[in-house]
Structures are given as structure tokens and as C-alpha cells.
Amino acid sequence: METPISLRLKSARKATGLTQQQLGMRLGMDPNTASARMNQYEKGKHIPDYLTMQRIAAELGVPVAYFYCEEELLAKILCAVAQLPKEKQECLFKSLSNIKA
């Protein structure tokens, strides 16, 4: 079974139009091994440590939590909220906090 990390990494990378090698090189990997290393991450053979995930998230313009989210809808919500200014995030949170389940 693929992990959410591998699935989301591949999806976010493709959405930016980067190749595995390009992303790896932007993260400071050697050009000769960047593609293979990113491929192993996307295949779920290896999982990047959290600091690496933070760098990947910053490079791809998504919140790091996106990679760990199992539910597709929640992952989309995370990305949408992350793009809002902090003031609007706080307002949205207050609105959501007032909703009774």
C-alpha cells in the first residue's frame, strides 16, 4: 500500500511541472542521484525525514501537513486554507469553531 506521503509528493510535484530530478536538485541533491532519490520517495521505498518534508513542501508551495493527510478532501482543504492570509485563516477558524457537530 502506498503511503499518503508518496502519493501526495508525486501529485504536488506534477502540479508544479517539475521533474523528479529538478525537484531533487532544488532541494540540493546531486544532479546524478536527484531523480533516483525522489523516485524512491514517490514509490514509498524511502520516506523523507520531517525536515526534508518541510523543504519539499516549501519548494512545492503546499503545507507540510498535506503530505501526511490520508483523506483527499481534507488535503485539498489544507492547501486552500494555507494560501489564505493569516487574518482570513483566523477568521475561518473562528467560524468553524462555532459550528456545532
Side-chain angles (χ1 to χ4, degrees):
M1 179 182 153
E2 290 186 82
T3 67
I5 295 170
S6 60
L7 295 171
R8 303 230 184 276
L9 175 56
K10 185 174 185 176
S11 175
R13 178 187 58 79
K14 285 187 169 193
T16 64
L18 294 173
T19 65
Q20 291 175 335
Q21 183 177 29
Q22 290 169 329
L23 177 56
M25 289 172 54
R26 286 186 179 193
L27 296 170
M29 296 175 189
D30 182 274
N32 296 321
T33 60
S35 181
R37 191 163 163 195
M38 293 307 301
N39 185 269
Q40 290 182 348
Y41 291 159
E42 288 184 11
K43 296 284 185 191
K45 291 181 181 177
H46 296 286
I47 301 296
D49 61 54
Y50 188 76
L51 292 176
T52 302
M53 288 307 304
Q54 285 181 313
R55 292 176 40 230
I56 291 171
E59 196 62 48
L60 297 177
V62 296
V64 72
Y66 167 79
F67 296 108
Y68 298 94
C69 187
E70 293 179 5
E71 298 174 27
E72 184 66 25
L73 179 58
L74 188 53
K76 289 178 183 179
I77 292 169
L78 284 169
C79 288
V81 171
Q83 292 177 1
L84 295 173
K86 293 294 178 197
E87 306 82 41
K88 290 197 178 206
Q89 289 179 7
E90 290 174 14
C91 182
L92 178 60
F93 177 74
K94 287 177 185 175
S95 296
L96 291 171
S97 296
N98 291 327
I99 296 174
K100 304 282 184 197

Coordinates of all heavy atoms in Angstrom, one line a residue:
M1 N 0.8 -1.2 0.0 CA 0.0 0.0 0.0 C 0.9 1.3 0.0 O 1.8 1.3 0.8 CB -0.9 0.0 1.2 CG -1.8 1.2 1.3 SD -2.8 1.2 2.8 CE -3.0 2.9 3.1
E2 N 0.5 2.2 -0.8 CA 1.3 3.4 -0.9 C 0.9 4.3 0.3 O -0.3 4.3 0.7 CB 1.0 4.2 -2.2 CG 1.6 3.5 -3.4 CD 1.5 4.3 -4.7 OE1 2.3 5.2 -4.9 OE2 0.5 4.0 -5.4
T3 N 1.8 5.1 0.8 CA 1.6 6.0 1.9 C 1.0 7.3 1.3 O 1.2 7.6 0.1 CB 2.8 6.3 2.7 OG1 3.7 7.1 1.8 CG2 3.5 5.0 3.1
P4 N 0.3 8.1 2.2 CA -0.1 9.4 1.7 C 1.0 10.2 1.2 O 0.9 11.0 0.3 CB -0.8 10.0 2.9 CG -1.2 8.8 3.8 CD -0.2 7.8 3.5
I5 N 2.2 10.1 1.9 CA 3.3 10.9 1.6 C 3.7 10.7 0.1 O 3.9 11.6 -0.6 CB 4.5 10.6 2.5 CG1 4.2 11.0 3.9 CG2 5.8 11.3 2.0 CD1 5.1 10.5 5.0
S6 N 3.9 9.4 -0.3 CA 4.4 9.2 -1.7 C 3.3 9.6 -2.7 O 3.7 10.2 -3.7 CB 4.7 7.7 -1.8 OG 3.6 6.9 -1.6
L7 N 2.1 9.4 -2.4 CA 1.0 9.8 -3.4 C 0.9 11.3 -3.5 O 0.9 11.9 -4.6 CB -0.3 9.3 -2.9 CG -0.5 7.8 -2.9 CD1 -1.8 7.4 -2.3 CD2 -0.5 7.3 -4.4
R8 N 1.0 12.0 -2.4 CA 0.9 13.5 -2.4 C 2.1 14.1 -2.9 O 2.0 15.1 -3.6 CB 0.6 14.0 -1.0 CG -0.7 13.4 -0.4 CD -1.6 14.4 0.1 NE -2.7 13.7 0.7 CZ -3.8 13.3 0.0 NH1 -3.9 13.5 -1.2 NH2 -4.8 12.6 0.6
L9 N 3.3 13.5 -2.7 CA 4.5 14.1 -3.2 C 4.5 14.1 -4.7 O 4.8 15.1 -5.4 CB 5.7 13.3 -2.7 CG 7.1 13.7 -3.3 CD1 7.4 15.2 -3.1 CD2 8.2 12.9 -2.6
K10 N 4.1 13.0 -5.3 CA 4.0 12.8 -6.7 C 3.0 13.8 -7.3 O 3.3 14.5 -8.3 CB 3.7 11.4 -7.1 CG 3.7 11.2 -8.6 CD 3.5 9.7 -8.9 CE 3.6 9.4 -10.4 NZ 3.5 8.0 -10.7
S11 N 1.9 13.9 -6.7 CA 0.8 14.8 -7.1 C 1.2 16.3 -7.1 O 1.1 17.0 -8.1 CB -0.4 14.6 -6.3 OG -1.4 15.5 -6.6
A12 N 1.8 16.7 -6.0 CA 2.3 18.1 -5.8 C 3.4 18.4 -6.8 O 3.4 19.5 -7.4 CB 2.7 18.3 -4.4
R13 N 4.3 17.5 -7.0 CA 5.4 17.7 -7.9 C 4.9 17.9 -9.3 O 5.3 18.8 -10.0 CB 6.4 16.6 -7.8 CG 7.6 16.7 -8.8 CD 8.5 15.5 -8.9 NE 7.8 14.3 -9.3 CZ 7.5 13.9 -10.5 NH1 7.7 14.8 -11.5 NH2 6.9 12.8 -10.7
K14 N 4.0 17.0 -9.7 CA 3.5 17.1 -11.1 C 2.7 18.4 -11.3 O 2.7 19.0 -12.4 CB 2.6 15.9 -11.4 CG 3.4 14.6 -11.7 CD 2.5 13.5 -12.1 CE 3.4 12.4 -12.7 NZ 2.7 11.4 -13.4
A15 N 2.0 18.8 -10.2 CA 1.2 20.0 -10.3 C 2.1 21.3 -10.6 O 1.6 22.2 -11.2 CB 0.3 20.2 -9.1
T16 N 3.3 21.2 -10.1 CA 4.2 22.3 -10.3 C 5.0 22.2 -11.7 O 5.6 23.1 -12.1 CB 5.3 22.4 -9.2 OG1 6.1 21.2 -9.2 CG2 4.7 22.6 -7.9
G17 N 4.8 21.0 -12.3 CA 5.5 20.8 -13.6 C 7.0 20.5 -13.5 O 7.7 20.5 -14.5
L18 N 7.4 20.1 -12.3 CA 8.8 19.8 -12.1 C 9.0 18.3 -12.4 O 8.2 17.5 -12.0 CB 9.3 20.1 -10.7 CG 9.3 21.6 -10.3 CD1 9.6 21.7 -8.8 CD2 10.4 22.3 -11.1
T19 N 10.2 17.9 -12.9 CA 10.6 16.5 -12.9 C 11.1 16.1 -11.6 O 11.4 17.0 -10.7 CB 11.7 16.3 -14.0 OG1 12.9 17.0 -13.6 CG2 11.2 16.8 -15.4
Q20 N 11.3 14.8 -11.4 CA 11.9 14.4 -10.1 C 13.3 14.9 -10.0 O 13.7 15.4 -8.9 CB 11.9 12.8 -10.1 CG 10.6 12.2 -10.0 CD 10.6 10.7 -10.1 OE1 11.5 10.1 -10.7 NE2 9.6 10.1 -9.5
Q21 N 14.1 15.0 -11.0 CA 15.4 15.5 -11.0 C 15.4 16.9 -10.6 O 16.2 17.4 -9.8 CB 16.2 15.2 -12.3 CG 17.6 15.7 -12.2 CD 18.4 15.4 -13.5 OE1 17.8 15.4 -14.5 NE2 19.7 15.2 -13.3
Q22 N 14.6 17.7 -11.3 CA 14.5 19.2 -11.0 C 14.2 19.4 -9.5 O 14.8 20.3 -8.9 CB 13.5 19.8 -11.9 CG 13.9 19.9 -13.3 CD 12.8 20.3 -14.2 OE1 11.6 20.1 -14.0 NE2 13.1 21.0 -15.3
L23 N 13.2 18.7 -9.0 CA 12.8 18.9 -7.6 C 14.0 18.5 -6.7 O 14.4 19.3 -5.8 CB 11.6 18.1 -7.2 CG 11.2 18.2 -5.8 CD1 10.9 19.7 -5.3 CD2 9.9 17.4 -5.5
G24 N 14.6 17.4 -6.9 CA 15.7 17.0 -6.1 C 16.9 18.0 -6.2 O 17.5 18.3 -5.1
M25 N 17.2 18.5 -7.3 CA 18.2 19.5 -7.4 C 17.9 20.8 -6.7 O 18.8 21.4 -6.1 CB 18.6 19.7 -8.9 CG 19.2 18.6 -9.6 SD 19.4 18.7 -11.3 CE 20.3 20.3 -11.5
R26 N 16.6 21.2 -6.7 CA 16.2 22.4 -6.0 C 16.4 22.2 -4.5 O 16.5 23.1 -3.7 CB 14.8 22.7 -6.3 CG 14.6 23.4 -7.7 CD 13.2 23.8 -7.9 NE 13.0 24.4 -9.2 CZ 12.0 25.1 -9.5 NH1 11.0 25.3 -8.7 NH2 11.9 25.7 -10.7
L27 N 16.3 20.9 -4.1 CA 16.5 20.6 -2.6 C 18.0 20.4 -2.3 O 18.3 20.1 -1.1 CB 15.7 19.3 -2.3 CG 14.2 19.4 -2.5 CD1 13.6 18.0 -2.3 CD2 13.6 20.4 -1.5
G28 N 18.8 20.6 -3.3 CA 20.3 20.5 -3.0 C 20.9 19.1 -3.2 O 22.0 18.9 -2.9
M29 N 20.1 18.2 -3.9 CA 20.6 16.9 -4.1 C 21.6 16.9 -5.4 O 21.5 17.8 -6.2 CB 19.5 15.9 -4.4 CG 18.6 15.7 -3.3 SD 17.2 14.6 -3.8 CE 16.1 14.8 -2.3
D30 N 22.5 16.0 -5.4 CA 23.4 15.8 -6.5 C 22.6 15.6 -7.8 O 21.7 14.7 -7.8 CB 24.4 14.7 -6.2 CG 25.4 14.5 -7.3 OD1 25.1 13.8 -8.3 OD2 26.5 15.1 -7.2
P31 N 22.9 16.2 -8.9 CA 22.1 16.0 -10.1 C 22.2 14.6 -10.6 O 21.2 14.1 -11.2 CB 22.9 16.9 -11.2 CG 23.5 18.0 -10.3 CD 23.9 17.3 -9.0
N32 N 23.2 13.8 -10.3 CA 23.3 12.4 -10.7 C 22.4 11.5 -9.9 O 22.1 10.4 -10.4 CB 24.7 11.9 -10.7 CG 25.6 12.7 -11.7 OD1 25.2 13.0 -12.8 ND2 26.8 13.0 -11.2
T33 N 22.0 11.9 -8.7 CA 21.2 11.0 -7.9 C 19.8 11.6 -7.6 O 19.0 10.9 -7.0 CB 21.9 10.7 -6.6 OG1 22.2 11.9 -5.9 CG2 23.3 10.0 -6.9
A34 N 19.6 12.8 -7.9 CA 18.3 13.5 -7.5 C 17.1 12.8 -8.0 O 16.2 12.6 -7.3 CB 18.3 14.9 -8.1
S35 N 17.1 12.4 -9.3 CA 15.9 11.7 -9.8 C 15.7 10.4 -9.1 O 14.5 10.1 -8.8 CB 16.1 11.5 -11.3 OG 14.9 10.8 -11.9
A36 N 16.7 9.6 -8.9 CA 16.5 8.3 -8.3 C 16.1 8.4 -6.9 O 15.2 7.7 -6.4 CB 17.9 7.5 -8.3
R37 N 16.6 9.4 -6.2 CA 16.2 9.6 -4.8 C 14.7 10.0 -4.7 O 14.0 9.5 -3.8 CB 17.1 10.6 -4.1 CG 17.0 10.7 -2.6 CD 18.1 11.4 -2.0 NE 17.9 11.9 -0.7 CZ 18.6 12.8 -0.1 NH1 19.6 13.3 -0.7 NH2 18.3 13.2 1.1
M38 N 14.3 11.0 -5.5 CA 12.9 11.4 -5.5 C 12.0 10.3 -5.9 O 10.9 10.1 -5.4 CB 12.8 12.6 -6.4 CG 13.5 13.9 -5.9 SD 13.1 14.4 -4.2 CE 11.4 14.6 -4.3
N39 N 12.5 9.5 -6.9 CA 11.7 8.3 -7.3 C 11.4 7.4 -6.1 O 10.3 6.8 -6.0 CB 12.3 7.6 -8.5 CG 11.5 6.5 -9.0 OD1 11.6 5.4 -8.6 ND2 10.6 6.8 -9.9
Q40 N 12.4 7.1 -5.3 CA 12.3 6.3 -4.2 C 11.3 6.9 -3.2 O 10.5 6.1 -2.5 CB 13.6 6.0 -3.5 CG 14.5 5.1 -4.3 CD 15.8 4.8 -3.7 OE1 16.2 5.4 -2.7 NE2 16.5 3.8 -4.2
Y41 N 11.3 8.2 -3.0 CA 10.3 8.8 -2.1 C 8.9 8.6 -2.7 O 7.9 8.3 -2.0 CB 10.6 10.3 -2.0 CG 11.8 10.7 -1.2 CD1 12.4 11.9 -1.4 CD2 12.4 9.8 -0.3 CE1 13.5 12.3 -0.7 CE2 13.5 10.1 0.4 CZ 14.1 11.4 0.2 OH 15.2 11.8 0.9
E42 N 8.7 8.8 -4.0 CA 7.4 8.7 -4.6 C 6.9 7.3 -4.7 O 5.7 7.1 -4.7 CB 7.5 9.4 -6.0 CG 7.6 10.9 -6.0 CD 7.5 11.5 -7.4 OE1 7.2 10.8 -8.4 OE2 7.8 12.7 -7.5
K43 N 7.8 6.4 -4.7 CA 7.4 5.0 -4.7 C 7.1 4.4 -3.3 O 6.6 3.3 -3.1 CB 8.5 4.1 -5.4 CG 8.7 4.4 -6.8 CD 7.6 3.8 -7.7 CE 7.9 4.1 -9.2 NZ 6.8 3.8 -10.0
G44 N 7.5 5.2 -2.3 CA 7.3 4.8 -0.9 C 8.4 3.8 -0.4 O 8.2 3.3 0.7
K45 N 9.5 3.7 -1.2 CA 10.5 2.8 -0.7 C 11.3 3.5 0.4 O 11.8 2.8 1.3 CB 11.5 2.5 -1.9 CG 10.9 1.6 -2.9 CD 11.8 1.3 -4.0 CE 11.1 0.4 -5.1 NZ 12.0 0.2 -6.2
H46 N 11.4 4.8 0.4 CA 12.0 5.5 1.5 C 11.1 6.7 1.8 O 10.5 7.2 0.9 CB 13.4 6.0 1.1 CG 14.4 5.0 0.8 ND1 15.0 4.2 1.9 CD2 14.9 4.5 -0.3 CE1 15.8 3.3 1.3 NE2 15.8 3.4 0.0
I47 N 11.1 7.1 3.0 CA 10.3 8.2 3.4 C 11.2 9.3 3.9 O 12.1 9.1 4.8 CB 9.3 7.9 4.6 CG1 8.4 6.7 4.2 CG2 8.5 9.1 5.1 CD1 7.4 7.1 3.1
P48 N 11.1 10.5 3.4 CA 12.0 11.6 3.8 C 11.7 12.0 5.3 O 10.6 11.8 5.8 CB 11.6 12.8 2.9 CG 10.7 12.3 1.9 CD 10.2 11.0 2.3
D49 N 12.7 12.4 6.0 CA 12.5 12.9 7.3 C 11.7 14.2 7.3 O 11.5 14.8 6.3 CB 13.9 13.1 8.1 CG 14.8 14.1 7.4 OD1 14.3 15.3 7.2 OD2 15.9 13.8 7.1
Y50 N 11.3 14.6 8.5 CA 10.3 15.7 8.6 C 11.0 17.0 8.1 O 10.3 17.8 7.4 CB 9.8 15.9 10.0 CG 8.8 16.9 10.1 CD1 7.5 16.6 9.7 CD2 9.0 18.2 10.6 CE1 6.5 17.6 9.8 CE2 8.0 19.2 10.6 CZ 6.7 18.8 10.2 OH 5.8 19.8 10.3
L51 N 12.2 17.2 8.4 CA 12.9 18.5 7.9 C 13.0 18.5 6.4 O 12.7 19.5 5.7 CB 14.3 18.6 8.5 CG 14.3 18.9 10.0 CD1 15.7 18.9 10.5 CD2 13.6 20.2 10.3
T52 N 13.2 17.3 5.8 CA 13.2 17.2 4.3 C 11.8 17.5 3.8 O 11.6 18.2 2.8 CB 13.8 15.9 3.8 OG1 15.1 15.7 4.4 CG2 13.8 15.8 2.3
M53 N 10.8 16.9 4.4 CA 9.4 17.2 4.0 C 9.1 18.7 4.1 O 8.4 19.2 3.2 CB 8.5 16.4 4.9 CG 8.5 14.9 4.6 SD 8.3 14.4 2.8 CE 6.7 15.2 2.4
Q54 N 9.6 19.4 5.1 CA 9.4 20.8 5.2 C 10.0 21.5 4.0 O 9.3 22.4 3.4 CB 9.9 21.4 6.5 CG 9.1 21.0 7.7 CD 9.8 21.6 8.9 OE1 11.0 21.5 9.2 NE2 8.9 22.2 9.8
R55 N 11.2 21.1 3.6 CA 11.8 21.8 2.4 C 11.1 21.4 1.2 O 10.9 22.3 0.3 CB 13.3 21.3 2.4 CG 14.1 21.9 3.5 CD 15.6 21.4 3.6 NE 16.2 21.3 2.3 CZ 16.9 20.2 1.9 NH1 17.0 19.1 2.7 NH2 17.5 20.2 0.7
I56 N 10.6 20.2 1.0 CA 9.9 19.8 -0.2 C 8.6 20.6 -0.2 O 8.2 21.1 -1.3 CB 9.6 18.3 -0.1 CG1 10.9 17.5 -0.4 CG2 8.5 17.9 -1.2 CD1 10.7 16.0 -0.1
A57 N 7.9 20.7 0.9 CA 6.6 21.4 1.0 C 6.8 22.9 0.6 O 6.0 23.5 -0.2 CB 6.0 21.4 2.4
A58 N 7.9 23.5 1.1 CA 8.2 24.9 0.7 C 8.4 25.0 -0.8 O 8.0 26.0 -1.4 CB 9.3 25.4 1.5
E59 N 9.2 24.1 -1.3 CA 9.5 24.2 -2.8 C 8.3 24.0 -3.6 O 8.2 24.6 -4.7 CB 10.6 23.1 -3.1 CG 11.3 23.3 -4.4 CD 12.1 24.5 -4.5 OE1 12.8 24.9 -3.6 OE2 11.9 25.2 -5.5
L60 N 7.4 23.1 -3.2 CA 6.2 22.8 -4.0 C 5.0 23.7 -3.6 O 3.9 23.7 -4.3 CB 5.8 21.4 -3.8 CG 6.8 20.3 -4.3 CD1 6.3 18.9 -4.0 CD2 7.1 20.5 -5.8
G61 N 5.1 24.6 -2.6 CA 4.1 25.5 -2.3 C 2.9 24.9 -1.6 O 1.7 25.4 -1.8
V62 N 3.1 23.9 -0.8 CA 2.0 23.3 -0.1 C 2.4 23.2 1.4 O 3.5 23.2 1.7 CB 1.6 21.9 -0.6 CG1 1.1 21.9 -2.1 CG2 2.8 20.9 -0.5
P63 N 1.4 23.1 2.3 CA 1.7 22.9 3.7 C 2.3 21.5 3.9 O 1.8 20.5 3.2 CB 0.4 23.1 4.4 CG -0.7 22.9 3.4 CD -0.1 23.2 2.1
V64 N 3.2 21.3 4.8 CA 3.8 20.0 5.1 C 2.7 19.0 5.5 O 2.8 17.8 5.2 CB 4.9 20.1 6.1 CG1 4.4 20.4 7.5 CG2 5.8 18.9 6.1
A65 N 1.7 19.5 6.2 CA 0.6 18.6 6.6 C -0.1 17.9 5.4 O -0.6 16.8 5.6 CB -0.4 19.3 7.5
Y66 N -0.1 18.5 4.3 CA -0.7 18.0 3.1 C -0.1 16.6 2.8 O -0.9 15.7 2.4 CB -0.4 18.9 1.9 CG -0.7 18.3 0.5 CD1 -2.0 18.3 0.0 CD2 0.4 17.9 -0.3 CE1 -2.2 17.8 -1.2 CE2 0.1 17.4 -1.6 CZ -1.2 17.3 -2.0 OH -1.4 16.8 -3.3
F67 N 1.1 16.4 3.0 CA 1.8 15.1 2.7 C 1.3 14.0 3.6 O 1.4 12.8 3.3 CB 3.3 15.2 2.7 CG 3.8 16.1 1.7 CD1 4.3 17.3 2.0 CD2 3.8 15.7 0.3 CE1 4.8 18.2 1.0 CE2 4.2 16.6 -0.7 CZ 4.8 17.8 -0.3
Y68 N 0.9 14.3 4.8 CA 0.5 13.3 5.8 C -1.0 13.0 5.9 O -1.4 12.2 6.6 CB 1.0 13.7 7.2 CG 2.5 13.9 7.2 CD1 3.2 15.1 7.0 CD2 3.3 12.7 7.4 CE1 4.5 15.2 7.0 CE2 4.7 12.8 7.4 CZ 5.3 14.0 7.2 OH 6.7 14.1 7.2
C69 N -1.8 13.8 5.1 CA -3.2 13.7 5.2 C -3.7 12.5 4.4 O -3.4 12.4 3.2 CB -3.8 15.0 4.7 SG -5.6 15.1 4.9
E70 N -4.5 11.6 5.0 CA -5.0 10.4 4.3 C -6.2 10.7 3.4 O -6.4 10.1 2.4 CB -5.3 9.4 5.3 CG -4.1 8.8 6.1 CD -4.5 7.8 7.1 OE1 -5.7 7.4 7.2 OE2 -3.6 7.3 7.8
E71 N -7.0 11.7 3.8 CA -8.2 12.0 3.1 C -8.0 13.1 2.0 O -7.5 14.1 2.3 CB -9.3 12.4 4.1 CG -9.7 11.4 5.1 CD -10.7 11.9 6.1 OE1 -11.4 12.8 5.8 OE2 -10.6 11.3 7.2
E72 N -8.4 12.8 0.8 CA -8.2 13.7 -0.3 C -8.9 15.1 -0.1 O -8.3 16.1 -0.3 CB -8.7 13.1 -1.6 CG -8.5 13.9 -2.8 CD -7.0 14.1 -3.2 OE1 -6.2 13.2 -2.8 OE2 -6.7 15.1 -3.8
L73 N -10.1 15.1 0.4 CA -10.8 16.3 0.6 C -10.1 17.2 1.7 O -9.9 18.4 1.5 CB -12.3 16.1 1.0 CG -13.1 17.4 1.3 CD1 -13.1 18.3 0.0 CD2 -14.5 17.0 1.7
L74 N -9.7 16.6 2.7 CA -9.0 17.3 3.8 C -7.7 17.8 3.3 O -7.3 19.0 3.6 CB -8.8 16.4 5.0 CG -8.3 17.1 6.2 CD1 -9.1 18.3 6.7 CD2 -8.2 16.1 7.4
A75 N -7.0 17.1 2.4 CA -5.7 17.6 1.8 C -6.0 18.8 1.0 O -5.2 19.8 1.1 CB -5.1 16.4 1.0
K76 N -7.1 18.8 0.2 CA -7.4 19.9 -0.6 C -7.8 21.2 0.3 O -7.4 22.3 -0.1 CB -8.6 19.6 -1.5 CG -8.2 18.7 -2.6 CD -9.5 18.3 -3.5 CE -9.1 17.3 -4.6 NZ -10.3 17.0 -5.4
I77 N -8.5 20.9 1.3 CA -8.8 22.0 2.3 C -7.6 22.6 2.9 O -7.4 23.8 3.0 CB -9.8 21.5 3.4 CG1 -11.2 21.2 2.7 CG2 -10.0 22.5 4.5 CD1 -12.1 20.4 3.6
L78 N -6.7 21.7 3.3 CA -5.4 22.2 3.9 C -4.7 23.2 2.9 O -4.2 24.2 3.3 CB -4.5 21.1 4.2 CG -4.8 20.3 5.5 CD1 -4.0 19.0 5.5 CD2 -4.6 21.1 6.7
C79 N -4.6 22.8 1.7 CA -3.9 23.6 0.7 C -4.6 24.9 0.4 O -4.0 26.0 0.3 CB -3.8 22.8 -0.7 SG -2.6 21.5 -0.6
A80 N -5.9 24.9 0.4 CA -6.7 26.1 0.2 C -6.6 27.0 1.3 O -6.4 28.2 1.1 CB -8.2 25.7 -0.1
V81 N -6.6 26.5 2.5 CA -6.5 27.4 3.7 C -5.1 28.0 3.9 O -4.9 29.1 4.2 CB -6.9 26.6 5.0 CG1 -6.6 27.4 6.3 CG2 -8.4 26.3 5.0
A82 N -4.1 27.2 3.5 CA -2.7 27.6 3.6 C -2.4 28.8 2.7 O -1.5 29.6 3.0 CB -1.8 26.5 3.3
Q83 N -3.2 28.9 1.6 CA -3.0 30.0 0.7 C -3.6 31.3 1.1 O -3.4 32.4 0.6 CB -3.5 29.7 -0.7 CG -2.7 28.5 -1.3 CD -3.3 28.1 -2.7 OE1 -4.3 28.7 -3.2 NE2 -2.7 27.1 -3.3
L84 N -4.5 31.3 2.1 CA -5.2 32.5 2.7 C -4.2 33.2 3.6 O -3.3 32.7 4.2 CB -6.4 32.1 3.5 CG -7.5 31.4 2.8 CD1 -8.6 30.9 3.8 CD2 -8.2 32.3 1.8
P85 N -4.4 34.6 3.6 CA -3.6 35.4 4.6 C -4.0 34.9 6.0 O -5.1 34.4 6.3 CB -4.1 36.8 4.4 CG -4.8 36.8 3.1 CD -5.3 35.4 2.8
K86 N -3.1 35.1 6.9 CA -3.3 34.6 8.3 C -4.6 35.2 8.9 O -5.2 34.5 9.7 CB -2.1 35.0 9.2 CG -0.8 34.3 8.9 CD -0.9 32.9 9.1 CE 0.4 32.2 8.7 NZ 0.3 30.7 8.6
E87 N -4.9 36.4 8.7 CA -6.1 37.0 9.2 C -7.3 36.2 8.8 O -8.3 36.0 9.6 CB -6.3 38.5 8.8 CG -5.1 39.4 9.1 CD -4.0 39.3 8.1 OE1 -4.3 39.2 6.9 OE2 -2.8 39.3 8.5
K88 N -7.4 35.9 7.5 CA -8.5 35.1 7.0 C -8.5 33.7 7.5 O -9.6 33.1 7.8 CB -8.5 35.1 5.5 CG -8.8 36.5 4.9 CD -9.2 36.4 3.5 CE -9.6 37.9 3.0 NZ -10.5 37.9 2.0
Q89 N -7.3 33.1 7.8 CA -7.3 31.8 8.4 C -7.9 31.8 9.8 O -8.6 30.9 10.2 CB -5.8 31.3 8.4 CG -5.2 30.9 7.1 CD -3.8 30.5 7.2 OE1 -3.2 30.3 8.3 NE2 -3.1 30.3 6.1
E90 N -7.5 32.9 10.5 CA -8.0 33.0 11.9 C -9.6 33.2 11.9 O -10.3 32.6 12.7 CB -7.4 34.2 12.6 CG -5.9 33.9 12.9 CD -5.2 35.1 13.5 OE1 -5.9 36.1 13.9 OE2 -4.0 35.0 13.6
C91 N -10.0 34.0 10.9 CA -11.5 34.2 10.8 C -12.2 32.9 10.4 O -13.2 32.6 11.0 CB -11.7 35.3 9.7 SG -13.5 35.7 9.5
L92 N -11.6 32.2 9.5 CA -12.2 30.9 9.1 C -12.2 29.9 10.3 O -13.2 29.2 10.5 CB -11.4 30.3 8.0 CG -11.8 28.9 7.5 CD1 -13.3 28.9 7.0 CD2 -10.9 28.4 6.4
F93 N -11.1 29.9 11.1 CA -11.1 29.0 12.2 C -12.2 29.4 13.2 O -12.8 28.5 13.8 CB -9.7 29.1 12.9 CG -9.6 28.3 14.2 CD1 -9.6 26.9 14.1 CD2 -9.7 28.9 15.4 CE1 -9.5 26.1 15.3 CE2 -9.6 28.1 16.6 CZ -9.6 26.8 16.5
K94 N -12.3 30.7 13.5 CA -13.4 31.1 14.4 C -14.8 30.7 13.9 O -15.6 30.2 14.7 CB -13.3 32.6 14.6 CG -12.2 33.1 15.4 CD -12.1 34.6 15.6 CE -10.9 35.0 16.3 NZ -10.7 36.5 16.4
S95 N -15.0 30.8 12.6 CA -16.3 30.4 12.0 C -16.5 28.9 12.2 O -17.6 28.4 12.6 CB -16.3 30.7 10.6 OG -16.3 32.1 10.4
L96 N -15.4 28.1 12.0 CA -15.5 26.7 12.1 C -15.7 26.2 13.5 O -16.4 25.3 13.8 CB -14.3 26.0 11.5 CG -14.1 26.1 10.0 CD1 -12.8 25.6 9.6 CD2 -15.3 25.3 9.3
S97 N -15.1 27.0 14.4 CA -15.2 26.7 15.8 C -16.6 26.8 16.4 O -17.0 26.2 17.3 CB -14.3 27.5 16.7 OG -12.9 27.3 16.3
N98 N -17.4 27.7 15.7 CA -18.7 28.0 16.2 C -19.8 27.0 15.6 O -20.9 27.0 16.0 CB -19.1 29.4 15.8 CG -18.4 30.4 16.6 OD1 -18.1 30.2 17.7 ND2 -18.1 31.6 15.9
I99 N -19.3 26.2 14.7 CA -20.2 25.2 14.1 C -20.4 24.0 15.1 O -19.4 23.4 15.5 CB -19.7 24.7 12.7 CG1 -19.7 25.8 11.7 CG2 -20.6 23.5 12.2 CD1 -19.0 25.4 10.4
K100 N -21.6 23.7 15.3 CA -21.9 22.5 16.2 C -22.0 21.3 15.4 O -22.7 21.3 14.3 CB -23.2 22.7 17.0 CG -23.2 24.0 17.8 CD -22.4 23.8 19.1 CE -22.6 25.1 19.9 NZ -21.6 25.3 20.9
A101 N -21.4 20.2 15.8 CA -21.5 18.9 15.0 C -22.9 18.3 15.1 O -23.6 18.4 16.1 CB -20.4 18.0 15.5

